[in-house]
Amino acid sequence: ADHWRPTLPAQLSSIREDTPMHVGPAVFGAIRNPRLLDAVESLIGEEIFANPIQNVRIKPPESCLPSTGHNQLNFGLTAATPWHQDNAVCTEDADPTKIVTVWFPLHDVEEDNGPLLLVPRSHTKGLQKHCVSRSTKEVHLPEETLEGDRVMLPMQRGDVLFLHKHTFHASARNTSQRMRFSLDLRYNPIGEPTGRAQLPGFVARS
């Protein structure tokens, strides 16, 4: 493939498919929320697996982040997230998998505190070549790939965004003085590769 692929940290080599996974009741309830799964079912079918690529993103005000030492932080989780496709950060065996990303904020997200950005209909372009930033080590789409309108998506608490694995998306900087908390969950049909074979997932609905 001519696109970047993740190299999982060496410490994950001891994790097996049967490694226990703890999910607190609040997060577990969110992953298995019936209304959420109803929507996911309409997209990928009724056999739903909770993909192990899940993130809680805490974006503090940019003014609170260090101006140096970026390589010590996962900037995709704490600062602006560069333009990318979710498929690009899965291992290659999951390329055929029908993965859907579910993104939602835990509070209102306005234009100044890190809303998502996306390019409408970009999912029709298929998986694109990605690069890795030398400074932040973040995977990103080359600028010349980003054709089309870029739409900013302020959202309210309770809103949910469903993303195709090939949708071009990013998150804006948090230039406010407010924290931004969000979850991004992923689901795929049961039995299909998850893109993180070393990490445990579970059946969310069958």
Side-chain angles (χ1 to χ4, degrees):
D2 62 353
H3 45 79
W4 179 87
R5 288 293 181 181
T7 300
L8 298 180
Q11 61 265 35
L12 295 185
S13 60
S14 63
I15 297 177
R16 304 184 309 274
E17 290 186 5
D18 61 347
T19 295
M21 178 179 64
H22 171 74
V23 178
V27 174
F28 186 70
I31 294 172
R32 296 194 68 246
N33 179 278
R35 293 178 64 189
L36 188 65
L37 292 180
D38 286 347
V40 172
E41 182 176 327
S42 73
L43 298 171
I44 66 171
E46 61 186 11
E47 299 292 305
I48 303 173
F49 192 77
N51 186 290
I53 306 176
Q54 318 279 15
N55 294 298
V56 177
R57 298 186 188 269
I58 304 172
K59 289 190 184 291
E62 194 173 81
S63 60
C64 297
L65 293 174
S67 57
T68 59
H70 289 187
N71 60 339
Q72 301 302 314
L73 293 171
N74 185 332
F75 258 46
L77 296 179
T78 59
T81 305
W83 287 96
H84 67 285
Q85 298 169 296
D86 283 348
N87 192 174
V89 294
C90 296
T91 49
E92 194 167 359
D93 62 326
D95 280 356
T97 300
K98 198 172 183 179
I99 297 174
V100 60
T101 297
V102 177
W103 191 97
F104 55 91
L106 302 186
H107 50 78
D108 293 354
V109 175
E110 300 173 353
E111 292 187 1
D112 63 345
N113 69 324
L116 286 194
L117 308 158
L118 61 79
V119 177
R121 294 174 293 280
S122 54
H123 69 284
T124 62
K125 298 179 182 295
L127 180 59
Q128 300 291 305
K129 178 179 179 180
H130 284 65
C131 304
V132 179
S133 168
R134 291 182 178 179
S135 59
T136 66
K137 307 304 181 186
E138 287 294 322
V139 59
H140 64 91
L141 286 161
E143 182 65 30
E144 60 269 19
T145 304
L146 298 172
E147 299 177 351
D149 296 332
R150 304 180 189 187
V151 177
M152 181 176 285
L153 297 174
M155 296 173 67
Q156 296 181 330
R157 180 181 177 183
D159 289 345
V160 179
L161 179 66
F162 296 86
L163 288 170
H164 189 282
K165 65 180 182 179
H166 291 156
T167 298
F168 296 1
H169 64 287
S171 73
R173 299 159 52 202
N174 184 359
T175 58
S176 73
Q177 293 303 307
R178 307 182 304 282
M179 298 287 286
R180 196 216 76 183
F181 296 86
S182 66
L183 270 70
D184 49 276
L185 313 176
R186 287 163 183 78
Y187 300 91
N188 58 264
I190 295 171
E192 295 188 5
T194 64
R196 285 290 189 281
Q198 293 88 338
L199 299 179
F202 61 89
V203 173
R205 173 179 286 182
S206 177

